[in-house]
Every structure is written in C-alpha cells, then in structure tokens.
Amino acid sequence: MGAKRFLALANRTPAYDGAMAAAMAAEQQKEQQPARTGSSSPDEPQQVDVDAMNLIVPGLIERVEV
C-alpha cells in the first residue's frame, strides 16, 4: 500500500470511530427504552441523540441557550 493511500485511510479513521460510537449509543438507547406497540412504522423517522449526531458530524449541531 502506498503512503498516499495509507494517509487517506488514516485520515478517515476518526470518522469511523465516531460513527461506530453513535451506532452503539443508539443501540443502548433502544435497549433502555420500553418497546412501542403497534404505532411504530418503518417510515417513521428514527430519533437520534444530539451527542451521537455530533460525533458523526462534528460542528454540525451547535447548542444555543434560550
């Protein structure tokens, strides 16, 4: 593997770590929430924790005090 390819892959490693951390946080949150019956549908948007989303895309979400 050439140095250019290695550095390109190494540059993406933090993004993969953030995505995996967010996926694990979502799974843990799912396990902690009581199961919904009947009203959930596959087309319903999935709720994602703000901290998990910030791990996936740092700087996308800024918190504002109201």
Side-chain angles (χ1 to χ4, degrees), residues 48-64:
V48 179
D49 187 33
V50 173
D51 293 326
M53 190 67 187
N54 201 24
L55 284 173
I56 296 171
V57 184
L60 179 66
I61 301 170
E62 293 184 20
R63 295 183 184 214
V64 177

Side-chain angles (χ1 to χ4, degrees), residues 14-66:
Y16 294 142
D17 289 342
M20 289 305 296
M24 288 176 59
E27 285 298 318
Q28 288 175 352
Q29 187 179 21
K30 250 192 236 181
E31 291 172 1
Q32 292 173 356
Q33 291 178 349
R36 288 190 267 166
T37 56
S39 66
S40 64
S41 70
D43 295 333
E44 187 175 323
Q46 187 179 22
Q47 297 295 321
V48 179
D49 187 33
V50 173
D51 293 326
M53 190 67 187
N54 201 24
L55 284 173
I56 296 171
V57 184
L60 179 66
I61 301 170
E62 293 184 20
R63 295 183 184 214
V64 177
E65 300 259 345
V66 179

Side-chain angles (χ1 to χ4, degrees), residues 1-18:
M1 174 184 305
K4 188 175 183 179
R5 175 91 174 129
F6 175 79
L7 291 174
L9 291 172
N11 192 30
R12 287 188 241 154
T13 301
Y16 294 142
D17 289 342

